[in-house]
Coordinates of all heavy atoms in Angstrom, one line a residue:
M69 N -11.2 13.7 -11.6 CA -10.1 14.3 -10.9 C -9.7 15.5 -11.7 O -9.5 15.5 -12.9 CB -8.9 13.3 -10.8 CG -7.7 13.9 -10.0 SD -6.3 12.7 -9.9 CE -6.9 11.8 -8.5
K70 N -9.4 16.6 -11.0 CA -9.0 17.8 -11.6 C -7.6 17.7 -12.2 O -6.8 16.9 -11.7 CB -8.9 19.0 -10.6 CG -10.3 19.2 -9.9 CD -11.1 20.1 -10.8 CE -12.4 20.4 -10.0 NZ -13.4 20.9 -10.8
D71 N -7.3 18.4 -13.3 CA -6.0 18.3 -14.0 C -4.9 18.6 -13.1 O -3.9 17.9 -13.1 CB -6.0 19.2 -15.2 CG -6.8 18.6 -16.4 OD1 -7.0 17.4 -16.4 OD2 -7.1 19.4 -17.4
A72 N -5.0 19.6 -12.3 CA -3.9 20.0 -11.4 C -3.6 19.0 -10.4 O -2.4 18.6 -10.1 CB -4.2 21.4 -10.7
A73 N -4.6 18.4 -9.8 CA -4.5 17.3 -8.8 C -3.8 16.1 -9.5 O -3.0 15.4 -8.9 CB -5.8 17.0 -8.2
F74 N -4.3 15.8 -10.7 CA -3.7 14.6 -11.4 C -2.2 14.8 -11.7 O -1.4 13.9 -11.5 CB -4.5 14.3 -12.7 CG -4.0 13.1 -13.4 CD1 -4.2 11.9 -13.0 CD2 -3.2 13.3 -14.5 CE1 -3.7 10.8 -13.7 CE2 -2.7 12.2 -15.2 CZ -2.9 11.0 -14.8
K75 N -1.9 16.0 -12.1 CA -0.5 16.3 -12.4 C 0.4 16.2 -11.2 O 1.5 15.7 -11.2 CB -0.4 17.7 -13.1 CG -0.9 17.7 -14.5 CD -0.8 19.1 -15.1 CE -1.3 19.1 -16.6 NZ -1.3 20.4 -17.2
E76 N -0.1 16.7 -10.1 CA 0.6 16.7 -8.8 C 0.8 15.2 -8.4 O 1.9 14.8 -7.9 CB -0.2 17.4 -7.7 CG 0.5 17.5 -6.4 CD -0.3 18.3 -5.4 OE1 -1.1 19.2 -5.8 OE2 0.0 18.1 -4.2
L77 N -0.2 14.4 -8.5 CA -0.2 13.0 -8.2 C 0.9 12.3 -9.1 O 1.7 11.5 -8.6 CB -1.5 12.3 -8.3 CG -1.6 10.8 -8.0 CD1 -1.2 10.6 -6.5 CD2 -3.0 10.3 -8.2
L78 N 0.8 12.6 -10.4 CA 1.7 11.9 -11.3 C 3.2 12.3 -11.0 O 4.1 11.5 -11.0 CB 1.4 12.4 -12.7 CG 2.0 11.6 -13.9 CD1 1.8 10.1 -13.8 CD2 1.5 12.2 -15.2
T79 N 3.4 13.6 -10.6 CA 4.8 14.0 -10.2 C 5.2 13.3 -9.0 O 6.4 12.8 -9.0 CB 4.8 15.6 -10.0 OG1 4.4 16.2 -11.2 CG2 6.1 16.0 -9.5
S80 N 4.3 13.1 -8.0 CA 4.7 12.4 -6.8 C 5.0 10.9 -7.1 O 6.0 10.4 -6.5 CB 3.5 12.5 -5.8 OG 3.8 11.8 -4.7
I81 N 4.3 10.3 -8.0 CA 4.5 8.9 -8.3 C 5.9 8.8 -9.0 O 6.7 7.9 -8.7 CB 3.4 8.3 -9.2 CG1 2.1 8.2 -8.4 CG2 3.8 7.0 -9.8 CD1 0.9 7.9 -9.2
R82 N 6.2 9.7 -9.9 CA 7.5 9.7 -10.6 C 8.6 9.9 -9.6 O 9.7 9.2 -9.7 CB 7.5 10.7 -11.7 CG 6.6 10.3 -12.9 CD 6.7 11.3 -14.0 NE 5.9 10.9 -15.1 CZ 5.2 11.7 -15.9 NH1 5.2 13.0 -15.7 NH2 4.5 11.2 -16.9
Q83 N 8.5 10.8 -8.6 CA 9.5 11.0 -7.6 C 9.7 9.7 -6.8 O 10.8 9.3 -6.5 CB 9.1 12.1 -6.7 CG 9.2 13.5 -7.3 CD 8.6 14.6 -6.4 OE1 7.9 14.3 -5.5 NE2 9.0 15.8 -6.7
A84 N 8.6 9.1 -6.4 CA 8.7 7.8 -5.7 C 9.4 6.8 -6.4 O 10.2 6.0 -5.9 CB 7.3 7.3 -5.3
G85 N 9.2 6.7 -7.7 CA 9.9 5.7 -8.6 C 11.4 6.0 -8.6 O 12.2 5.1 -8.5
R86 N 11.8 7.3 -8.7 CA 13.2 7.6 -8.7 C 13.9 7.3 -7.4 O 15.0 6.8 -7.3 CB 13.4 9.1 -9.0 CG 13.2 9.4 -10.5 CD 13.7 10.8 -10.9 NE 13.0 11.9 -10.2 CZ 11.8 12.4 -10.5 NH1 11.2 12.0 -11.6 NH2 11.3 13.4 -9.8
I87 N 13.1 7.5 -6.3 CA 13.7 7.2 -4.9 C 13.8 5.7 -4.8 O 14.8 5.2 -4.3 CB 12.7 7.8 -3.8 CG1 12.8 9.3 -3.8 CG2 13.1 7.2 -2.5 CD1 11.7 10.0 -3.0
R88 N 12.8 4.9 -5.2 CA 12.9 3.5 -5.1 C 14.0 2.9 -5.9 O 14.7 1.9 -5.5 CB 11.6 2.9 -5.6 CG 11.5 1.4 -5.4 CD 10.1 0.9 -5.4 NE 10.0 -0.5 -5.3 CZ 9.9 -1.2 -4.2 NH1 9.8 -0.5 -3.0 NH2 9.8 -2.5 -4.2
R89 N 14.3 3.5 -7.1 CA 15.4 3.0 -7.9 C 16.8 3.5 -7.5 O 17.8 3.1 -8.0 CB 15.2 3.4 -9.4 CG 14.0 2.6 -10.1 CD 13.9 2.9 -11.5 NE 13.7 4.4 -11.8 CZ 12.5 5.0 -11.9 NH1 11.4 4.3 -11.6 NH2 12.4 6.3 -12.1
G90 N 16.8 4.3 -6.5 CA 18.0 4.9 -5.9 C 18.6 6.0 -6.7 O 19.8 6.4 -6.5
K91 N 17.8 6.6 -7.6 CA 18.3 7.8 -8.3 C 18.0 9.1 -7.7 O 18.4 10.1 -8.1 CB 17.6 7.8 -9.7 CG 18.0 6.6 -10.5 CD 17.4 6.6 -11.9 CE 17.9 5.4 -12.7 NZ 17.4 5.4 -14.1
A92 N 17.2 9.1 -6.6 CA 16.9 10.3 -5.8 C 16.8 9.9 -4.3 O 16.6 8.7 -4.0 CB 15.6 10.9 -6.3
K93 N 17.0 10.9 -3.5 CA 16.9 10.6 -2.0 C 15.6 11.2 -1.5 O 15.1 12.2 -2.0 CB 18.0 11.3 -1.3 CG 19.4 10.7 -1.5 CD 20.1 10.7 -0.2 CE 21.4 10.0 -0.4 NZ 21.6 9.0 0.6
A94 N 15.0 10.5 -0.6 CA 13.7 10.9 0.0 C 13.9 12.2 0.8 O 15.0 12.4 1.4 CB 13.2 9.8 0.9
A95 N 13.0 13.1 0.7 CA 13.1 14.4 1.4 C 13.0 14.2 2.9 O 13.6 14.9 3.7 CB 12.0 15.3 0.9
R96 N 12.2 13.2 3.3 CA 12.0 12.8 4.7 C 11.8 11.3 4.8 O 11.1 10.7 4.0 CB 10.9 13.6 5.4 CG 9.6 13.4 4.8 CD 8.5 14.2 5.4 NE 7.4 14.1 4.5 CZ 6.4 14.9 4.4 NH1 6.4 15.9 5.1 NH2 5.4 14.7 3.6
V97 N 12.2 10.8 5.9 CA 12.1 9.4 6.2 C 11.6 9.3 7.6 O 12.1 9.9 8.5 CB 13.4 8.6 6.0 CG1 13.2 7.1 6.4 CG2 13.9 8.7 4.6
T98 N 10.5 8.6 7.8 CA 9.9 8.4 9.1 C 10.3 7.0 9.6 O 10.0 6.0 9.0 CB 8.4 8.6 9.1 OG1 8.1 9.8 8.6 CG2 7.8 8.4 10.5
T99 N 10.9 6.9 10.8 CA 11.2 5.6 11.4 C 10.7 5.7 12.8 O 10.7 6.7 13.4 CB 12.7 5.3 11.4 OG1 13.4 6.4 12.0 CG2 13.2 5.2 10.0
F100 N 10.3 4.5 13.3 CA 9.9 4.4 14.7 C 11.0 3.7 15.4 O 11.4 2.6 15.0 CB 8.6 3.6 14.7 CG 7.4 4.5 14.7 CD1 6.9 5.0 13.5 CD2 6.7 4.8 15.9 CE1 5.8 5.8 13.5 CE2 5.6 5.6 15.9 CZ 5.1 6.1 14.7
R101 N 11.5 4.3 16.5 CA 12.4 3.6 17.4 C 11.6 2.7 18.3 O 10.4 2.8 18.4 CB 13.1 4.6 18.2 CG 14.0 5.6 17.4 CD 14.8 6.6 18.2 NE 14.0 7.1 19.3 CZ 13.3 8.3 19.3 NH1 13.4 9.0 18.2 NH2 12.6 8.7 20.4
P102 N 12.3 1.7 18.8 CA 11.6 0.7 19.7 C 10.8 1.4 20.8 O 9.6 1.0 21.1 CB 12.7 -0.1 20.3 CG 13.8 0.0 19.3 CD 13.7 1.3 18.7
A103 N 11.3 2.5 21.4 CA 10.6 3.2 22.4 C 9.3 3.9 21.9 O 8.3 4.0 22.6 CB 11.5 4.3 23.1
D104 N 9.3 4.3 20.6 CA 8.2 4.9 20.0 C 7.0 3.9 19.9 O 5.9 4.2 20.2 CB 8.5 5.4 18.6 CG 9.5 6.5 18.7 OD1 9.6 7.3 19.7 OD2 10.2 6.7 17.7
V105 N 7.3 2.7 19.5 CA 6.3 1.6 19.3 C 5.7 1.3 20.7 O 4.5 1.3 20.9 CB 6.9 0.4 18.7 CG1 5.8 -0.7 18.6 CG2 7.4 0.7 17.3
K106 N 6.6 1.2 21.7 CA 6.1 0.9 23.0 C 5.3 2.0 23.6 O 4.2 1.8 24.2 CB 7.3 0.6 24.0 CG 6.8 0.1 25.3 CD 8.0 -0.3 26.2 CE 7.6 -0.8 27.5 NZ 8.7 -1.2 28.4
S107 N 5.7 3.2 23.3 CA 4.9 4.4 23.8 C 3.5 4.5 23.1 O 2.6 4.8 23.8 CB 5.7 5.7 23.4 OG 5.0 6.8 23.6
V108 N 3.4 4.2 21.9 CA 2.1 4.1 21.2 C 1.2 3.1 21.9 O 0.1 3.3 22.2 CB 2.2 3.9 19.7 CG1 0.9 3.6 19.1 CG2 2.9 5.0 19.0
R109 N 1.8 1.9 22.1 CA 1.0 0.8 22.7 C 0.6 1.3 24.1 O -0.6 1.1 24.5 CB 1.9 -0.4 22.8 CG 1.1 -1.6 23.5 CD 2.0 -2.9 23.5 NE 3.3 -2.8 24.2 CZ 3.5 -2.8 25.5 NH1 2.4 -3.0 26.3 NH2 4.7 -2.8 26.0
E110 N 1.4 1.9 24.9 CA 1.1 2.3 26.2 C 0.1 3.4 26.2 O -0.8 3.5 27.1 CB 2.4 2.7 27.0 CG 3.2 1.5 27.3 CD 4.6 1.9 28.0 OE1 5.0 3.1 27.8 OE2 5.2 1.0 28.6
K111 N 0.1 4.3 25.2 CA -0.9 5.4 25.1 C -2.3 4.7 24.9 O -3.3 5.3 25.3 CB -0.6 6.3 24.0 CG 0.5 7.3 24.3 CD 0.7 8.2 23.1 CE 1.9 9.1 23.2 NZ 2.2 9.9 22.0
L112 N -2.3 3.6 24.3 CA -3.6 2.9 24.0 C -4.0 2.0 25.2 O -5.0 1.3 25.2 CB -3.5 2.1 22.8 CG -3.4 2.9 21.5 CD1 -3.1 2.1 20.3 CD2 -4.8 3.6 21.2
N113 N -3.1 2.0 26.2 CA -3.3 1.2 27.5 C -3.6 -0.3 27.1 O -4.5 -0.9 27.6 CB -4.5 1.8 28.3 CG -4.5 1.3 29.7 OD1 -3.5 1.0 30.2 ND2 -5.7 1.2 30.3
A114 N -2.7 -0.8 26.2 CA -2.9 -2.2 25.8 C -1.6 -3.0 26.1 O -0.5 -2.5 26.1 CB -3.1 -2.2 24.3
S115 N -1.9 -4.3 26.4 CA -0.7 -5.2 26.6 C -0.2 -5.5 25.2 O -0.8 -5.2 24.2 CB -1.2 -6.5 27.2 OG -2.1 -7.2 26.3
Q116 N 1.0 -6.1 25.2 CA 1.6 -6.5 23.9 C 0.6 -7.4 23.1 O 0.4 -7.2 21.9 CB 2.9 -7.2 24.1 CG 4.0 -6.3 24.4 CD 5.4 -7.0 24.5 OE1 5.4 -8.2 24.8 NE2 6.4 -6.3 24.3
T117 N 0.0 -8.3 23.8 CA -1.0 -9.3 23.1 C -2.2 -8.5 22.6 O -2.6 -8.7 21.4 CB -1.4 -10.4 24.1 OG1 -0.3 -11.1 24.6 CG2 -2.4 -11.3 23.4
E118 N -2.7 -7.6 23.4 CA -3.9 -6.9 22.9 C -3.6 -6.0 21.7 O -4.3 -5.9 20.8 CB -4.4 -6.0 24.1 CG -5.1 -6.8 25.2 CD -5.3 -5.9 26.5 OE1 -4.6 -4.9 26.7 OE2 -6.2 -6.3 27.2
F119 N -2.4 -5.3 21.8 CA -2.0 -4.3 20.8 C -1.7 -5.1 19.5 O -2.1 -4.6 18.4 CB -0.8 -3.5 21.2 CG -0.5 -2.4 20.3 CD1 -1.4 -1.4 20.0 CD2 0.7 -2.3 19.7 CE1 -1.1 -0.3 19.2 CE2 1.0 -1.2 18.9 CZ 0.1 -0.2 18.6
A120 N -1.0 -6.2 19.6 CA -0.7 -7.0 18.4 C -2.0 -7.4 17.7 O -2.1 -7.3 16.5 CB 0.1 -8.2 18.8
L121 N -3.0 -7.9 18.5 CA -4.3 -8.3 17.9 C -5.0 -7.1 17.3 O -5.5 -7.2 16.2 CB -5.1 -8.9 19.0 CG -6.5 -9.5 18.6 CD1 -6.3 -10.6 17.6 CD2 -7.2 -10.0 19.8
M122 N -4.9 -5.9 18.0 CA -5.6 -4.7 17.4 C -5.1 -4.4 16.0 O -5.8 -4.0 15.2 CB -5.2 -3.5 18.4 CG -6.3 -3.1 19.3 SD -5.8 -1.5 20.0 CE -5.9 -2.0 21.7
I123 N -3.7 -4.4 15.9 CA -3.1 -3.9 14.6 C -2.9 -5.0 13.6 O -2.4 -4.8 12.5 CB -1.9 -3.1 14.9 CG1 -0.7 -3.9 15.5 CG2 -2.2 -1.8 15.7 CD1 0.6 -3.1 15.5
G124 N -3.2 -6.3 14.0 CA -3.1 -7.4 13.0 C -1.7 -7.9 12.8 O -1.4 -8.3 11.7
V125 N -0.9 -7.9 13.8 CA 0.5 -8.5 13.7 C 0.6 -9.5 14.8 O -0.1 -9.5 15.8 CB 1.6 -7.4 13.8 CG1 1.5 -6.4 12.7 CG2 1.6 -6.8 15.2
S126 N 1.6 -10.4 14.7 CA 1.9 -11.4 15.7 C 2.5 -10.7 16.9 O 3.1 -9.6 16.8 CB 2.8 -12.5 15.2 OG 4.1 -12.0 15.1
V127 N 2.4 -11.3 18.1 CA 3.0 -10.8 19.3 C 4.5 -10.8 19.1 O 5.2 -9.8 19.5 CB 2.6 -11.6 20.5 CG1 3.3 -11.1 21.8 CG2 1.1 -11.5 20.8
A128 N 5.0 -11.8 18.4 CA 6.5 -11.9 18.2 C 6.9 -10.7 17.3 O 8.0 -10.1 17.6 CB 6.8 -13.2 17.5
T129 N 6.2 -10.3 16.4 CA 6.5 -9.1 15.5 C 6.5 -7.9 16.4 O 7.5 -7.1 16.3 CB 5.5 -9.0 14.4 OG1 5.6 -10.1 13.5 CG2 5.8 -7.7 13.6
L130 N 5.5 -7.7 17.2 CA 5.5 -6.5 18.1 C 6.7 -6.5 19.0 O 7.3 -5.4 19.2 CB 4.1 -6.5 18.8 CG 4.0 -5.3 19.8 CD1 4.0 -4.0 19.0 CD2 2.7 -5.4 20.6
R131 N 7.0 -7.6 19.6 CA 8.1 -7.7 20.5 C 9.4 -7.3 19.7 O 10.3 -6.6 20.3 CB 8.3 -9.1 21.1 CG 7.3 -9.3 22.2 CD 7.5 -10.6 22.9 NE 6.4 -10.9 23.8 CZ 5.8 -12.0 23.9 NH1 6.1 -13.0 23.2 NH2 4.8 -12.1 24.8
N132 N 9.6 -7.8 18.5 CA 10.8 -7.5 17.7 C 10.8 -6.0 17.5 O 11.9 -5.4 17.5 CB 10.8 -8.3 16.4 CG 11.2 -9.7 16.6 OD1 11.9 -10.1 17.5 ND2 10.7 -10.6 15.7
W133 N 9.7 -5.3 17.2 CA 9.7 -3.9 17.0 C 10.1 -3.2 18.3 O 11.0 -2.3 18.3 CB 8.3 -3.4 16.6 CG 7.8 -3.8 15.3 CD1 8.5 -4.3 14.3 CD2 6.5 -3.7 14.8 NE1 7.7 -4.6 13.2 CE2 6.4 -4.2 13.5 CE3 5.3 -3.3 15.4 CZ2 5.3 -4.2 12.8 CZ3 4.1 -3.3 14.7 CH2 4.1 -3.8 13.4
E134 N 9.5 -3.6 19.4 CA 9.8 -2.9 20.7 C 11.2 -3.2 21.2 O 11.8 -2.3 21.9 CB 8.8 -3.4 21.8 CG 7.4 -2.8 21.5 CD 6.4 -3.1 22.7 OE1 6.9 -3.6 23.7 OE2 5.3 -2.6 22.5
Q135 N 11.8 -4.3 20.8 CA 13.2 -4.6 21.2 C 14.2 -4.1 20.2 O 15.4 -4.4 20.3 CB 13.3 -6.1 21.5 CG 12.5 -6.4 22.7 CD 12.4 -7.9 23.0 OE1 13.0 -8.7 22.3 NE2 11.6 -8.3 24.0
G136 N 13.8 -3.6 19.1 CA 14.7 -3.0 18.1 C 15.3 -4.0 17.1 O 16.2 -3.7 16.3
R137 N 14.8 -5.2 17.1 CA 15.3 -6.2 16.2 C 14.8 -6.1 14.8 O 15.4 -6.5 13.8 CB 15.0 -7.6 16.7 CG 15.9 -8.0 17.9 CD 15.7 -9.5 18.2 NE 14.4 -9.9 18.6 CZ 14.0 -10.0 19.9 NH1 14.8 -9.8 20.9 NH2 12.7 -10.4 20.1
R138 N 13.6 -5.5 14.7 CA 12.9 -5.2 13.4 C 12.3 -3.8 13.5 O 12.1 -3.3 14.6 CB 11.9 -6.2 13.1 CG 12.4 -7.6 13.0 CD 12.0 -8.2 11.7 NE 12.4 -9.6 11.7 CZ 13.1 -10.1 10.7 NH1 13.3 -9.4 9.6 NH2 13.4 -11.4 10.7
T139 N 12.0 -3.3 12.3 CA 11.2 -2.0 12.3 C 10.0 -2.2 11.5 O 9.9 -2.9 10.5 CB 12.1 -0.9 11.7 OG1 12.5 -1.3 10.3 CG2 13.3 -0.6 12.5
P140 N 8.9 -1.5 12.0 CA 7.6 -1.6 11.2 C 7.7 -0.9 9.9 O 8.5 0.1 9.7 CB 6.6 -0.9 12.2 CG 7.4 -0.1 13.1 CD 8.8 -0.7 13.2
D141 N 7.0 -1.4 8.9 CA 6.9 -0.8 7.6 C 5.5 -0.9 7.1 O 4.6 -1.6 7.7 CB 8.0 -1.3 6.7 CG 7.8 -2.8 6.4 OD1 6.9 -3.4 6.9 OD2 8.7 -3.3 5.6
G142 N 5.3 -0.4 5.9 CA 4.0 -0.5 5.2 C 2.8 0.0 6.0 O 2.9 1.0 6.7
P143 N 1.7 -0.8 5.9 CA 0.5 -0.4 6.6 C 0.6 -0.3 8.1 O 0.1 0.6 8.8 CB -0.5 -1.5 6.3 CG 0.0 -2.1 5.0 CD 1.5 -1.9 5.1
A144 N 1.5 -1.1 8.7 CA 1.7 -1.1 10.2 C 2.3 0.2 10.5 O 2.0 0.8 11.5 CB 2.5 -2.3 10.6
L145 N 3.3 0.7 9.8 CA 4.0 1.9 10.0 C 3.0 3.1 9.9 O 3.0 4.0 10.8 CB 5.1 2.1 9.1 CG 5.9 3.4 9.3 CD1 6.5 3.6 10.7 CD2 7.0 3.5 8.2
A146 N 2.1 3.0 8.9 CA 1.1 4.1 8.8 C 0.2 4.1 10.0 O -0.1 5.2 10.5 CB 0.3 3.9 7.5
L147 N -0.3 3.0 10.4 CA -1.1 2.9 11.6 C -0.4 3.4 12.8 O -1.0 4.1 13.6 CB -1.7 1.5 11.8 CG -2.6 1.3 12.9 CD1 -3.9 2.2 12.8 CD2 -3.0 -0.2 13.0
L148 N 0.8 3.1 13.0 CA 1.6 3.5 14.2 C 1.7 5.1 14.1 O 1.6 5.7 15.2 CB 2.9 2.9 14.2 CG 2.9 1.4 14.7 CD1 4.2 0.7 14.4 CD2 2.5 1.3 16.1
R149 N 1.9 5.6 13.0 CA 2.0 7.1 12.8 C 0.8 7.8 13.3 O 0.8 8.7 14.0 CB 2.3 7.5 11.4 CG 3.7 7.3 10.9 CD 3.8 7.8 9.5 NE 5.0 7.3 8.9 CZ 5.2 7.0 7.6 NH1 4.2 7.2 6.8 NH2 6.3 6.6 7.1
V150 N -0.4 7.2 12.8 CA -1.7 7.8 13.2 C -1.9 7.6 14.7 O -2.3 8.5 15.4 CB -2.8 7.1 12.4 CG1 -4.2 7.6 12.9 CG2 -2.7 7.5 10.9
A151 N -1.6 6.4 15.2 CA -1.8 6.2 16.6 C -0.9 7.1 17.5 O -1.3 7.5 18.6 CB -1.5 4.7 16.9
A152 N 0.3 7.4 17.0 CA 1.1 8.3 17.8 C 0.6 9.7 17.9 O 0.7 10.3 18.9 CB 2.5 8.3 17.1
R153 N -0.1 10.1 16.9 CA -0.7 11.4 16.9 C -2.1 11.5 17.5 O -2.5 12.5 18.1 CB -0.8 12.0 15.4 CG 0.5 12.3 14.8 CD 0.4 13.0 13.5 NE 1.7 13.3 13.0 CZ 2.4 12.5 12.1 NH1 1.8 11.4 11.7 NH2 3.5 12.9 11.7
N154 N -2.9 10.4 17.4 CA -4.2 10.4 17.9 C -4.6 9.0 18.4 O -5.4 8.3 17.7 CB -5.2 10.9 16.8 CG -6.6 11.3 17.4 OD1 -6.9 10.9 18.5 ND2 -7.3 12.1 16.7
P155 N -4.1 8.6 19.5 CA -4.3 7.2 20.0 C -5.8 7.0 20.3 O -6.3 5.9 20.0 CB -3.5 7.1 21.3 CG -3.1 8.5 21.6 CD -3.2 9.3 20.4
R156 N -6.5 8.0 20.7 CA -8.0 7.7 21.0 C -8.8 7.4 19.8 O -9.6 6.5 19.8 CB -8.6 9.0 21.7 CG -10.0 8.7 22.2 CD -10.6 9.9 22.9 NE -9.7 10.4 23.9 CZ -9.6 11.7 24.3 NH1 -10.3 12.6 23.6 NH2 -8.8 12.0 25.2
A157 N -8.5 8.1 18.7 CA -9.2 7.8 17.4 C -8.9 6.4 16.9 O -9.8 5.7 16.5 CB -8.9 8.8 16.4
V158 N -7.6 6.0 17.0 CA -7.2 4.7 16.6 C -7.9 3.6 17.5 O -8.4 2.6 17.0 CB -5.7 4.5 16.6 CG1 -5.3 3.1 16.4 CG2 -5.1 5.4 15.5
A159 N -7.9 3.8 18.8 CA -8.5 2.9 19.7 C -10.0 2.7 19.4 O -10.5 1.6 19.3 CB -8.3 3.3 21.1
E160 N -10.7 3.8 19.2 CA -12.1 3.8 18.9 C -12.3 3.1 17.5 O -13.2 2.2 17.4 CB -12.7 5.2 18.8 CG -12.8 5.8 20.2 CD -13.2 7.3 20.1 OE1 -13.5 7.8 19.0 OE2 -13.2 8.0 21.2
A161 N -11.5 3.4 16.5 CA -11.7 2.8 15.2 C -11.4 1.3 15.3 O -12.2 0.5 14.7 CB -10.8 3.4 14.2
L162 N -10.4 0.9 15.9 CA -10.0 -0.5 16.0 C -11.0 -1.3 16.9 O -11.3 -2.5 16.6 CB -8.6 -0.7 16.5 CG -7.5 -0.2 15.5 CD1 -6.1 -0.3 16.1 CD2 -7.6 -0.9 14.2
H163 N -11.4 -0.7 17.9 CA -12.4 -1.3 18.8 C -13.7 -1.6 18.1 O -14.3 -2.7 18.2 CB -12.6 -0.5 20.1 CG -13.4 -1.2 21.1 ND1 -13.0 -2.4 21.8 CD2 -14.7 -0.9 21.6 CE1 -14.0 -2.8 22.6 NE2 -15.0 -1.9 22.5
S164 N -14.2 -0.6 17.4 CA -15.4 -0.8 16.6 C -15.3 -1.9 15.6 O -16.2 -2.6 15.3 CB -15.9 0.5 16.0 OG -15.1 1.0 15.0
E165 N -14.1 -2.0 14.9 CA -13.9 -3.0 13.9 C -13.9 -4.4 14.5 O -14.4 -5.3 14.0 CB -12.6 -2.7 13.2 CG -12.6 -1.6 12.2 CD -13.6 -1.9 11.1 OE1 -13.7 -3.0 10.5 OE2 -14.4 -1.0 10.8
S166 N -13.3 -4.5 15.7 CA -13.3 -5.8 16.4 C -14.7 -6.3 16.8 O -15.0 -7.4 16.8 CB -12.3 -5.8 17.5 OG -12.8 -5.0 18.6
R167 N -15.5 -5.3 17.2 CA -16.9 -5.7 17.5 C -17.7 -6.1 16.3 O -18.5 -7.0 16.4 CB -17.6 -4.5 18.2 CG -17.2 -4.3 19.6 CD -18.0 -3.3 20.3 NE -17.5 -2.0 19.8 CZ -18.0 -0.8 20.1 NH1 -19.1 -0.7 20.8 NH2 -17.5 0.3 19.6
K168 N -17.4 -5.5 15.1 CA -18.1 -5.9 13.9 C -17.7 -7.3 13.6 O -18.6 -8.1 13.1 CB -17.7 -5.0 12.7 CG -18.3 -3.7 12.7 CD -17.9 -2.9 11.5 CE -18.3 -1.4 11.6 NZ -17.8 -0.7 10.4
G169 N -16.5 -7.7 13.7 CA -16.0 -9.0 13.4 C -16.6 -10.1 14.3 O -16.8 -11.2 13.9
A170 N -17.0 -9.7 15.5 CA -17.5 -10.6 16.5 C -19.0 -10.8 16.3 O -19.6 -11.8 16.7 CB -17.3 -10.1 17.9
A171 N -19.6 -9.9 15.6 CA -21.1 -10.0 15.3 C -21.5 -11.0 14.3 O -20.8 -11.5 13.5 CB -21.6 -8.6 15.0

């Protein structure tokens, strides 16, 4: 890794640590509203059951997101962000993965 890239990464990690400890505020925060989660699912033309299976969460979790009782985080949030921007790529990637598992 180049020195400049490593220093940039190290700075970013230190900033994340300060944010996590409450000593700094995040410059931006991405949250998905219930309508956003449902919109992503609908763009993929998937039922709640199909979409939950696709992204590896329970149907109950997906329903909680769509009804606003919970909010997605971690890898699920990252996947939803990508799906919101490019649903076709996500559908293709997830569909090819599910076929590999069936083989």
Side-chain angles (χ1 to χ4, degrees):
M69 180 180 280
K70 302 278 185 196
D71 282 343
F74 180 77
K75 287 178 183 178
E76 186 177 334
L77 180 60
L78 192 57
T79 299
S80 179
I81 291 169
R82 288 180 177 146
Q83 287 173 343
R86 286 193 299 274
I87 291 167
R88 183 158 178 96
R89 290 187 300 275
K91 294 183 178 184
K93 289 221 178 233
R96 61 182 168 202
V97 176
T98 302
T99 56
F100 268 78
R101 297 182 318 265
D104 297 331
V105 176
K106 186 175 182 179
S107 171
V108 169
R109 178 176 60 79
E110 289 173 342
K111 284 180 187 176
L112 292 169
N113 198 27
S115 68
Q116 285 183 331
T117 303
E118 291 167 334
F119 190 59
L121 184 61
M122 257 190 235
I123 64 172
V125 300
S126 71
V127 176
T129 295
L130 180 61
R131 285 186 186 132
N132 283 332
W133 292 345
E134 289 189 2
Q135 294 172 4
R137 289 190 296 261
R138 301 234 182 228
T139 55
D141 61 0
L145 179 58
L147 182 57
L148 287 168
R149 284 182 193 149
V150 173
R153 289 188 180 94
N154 194 342
R156 186 178 309 146
V158 170
E160 289 173 7
L162 294 175
H163 186 65
S164 67
E165 284 299 313
S166 66
R167 281 187 286 175
K168 284 181 189 175

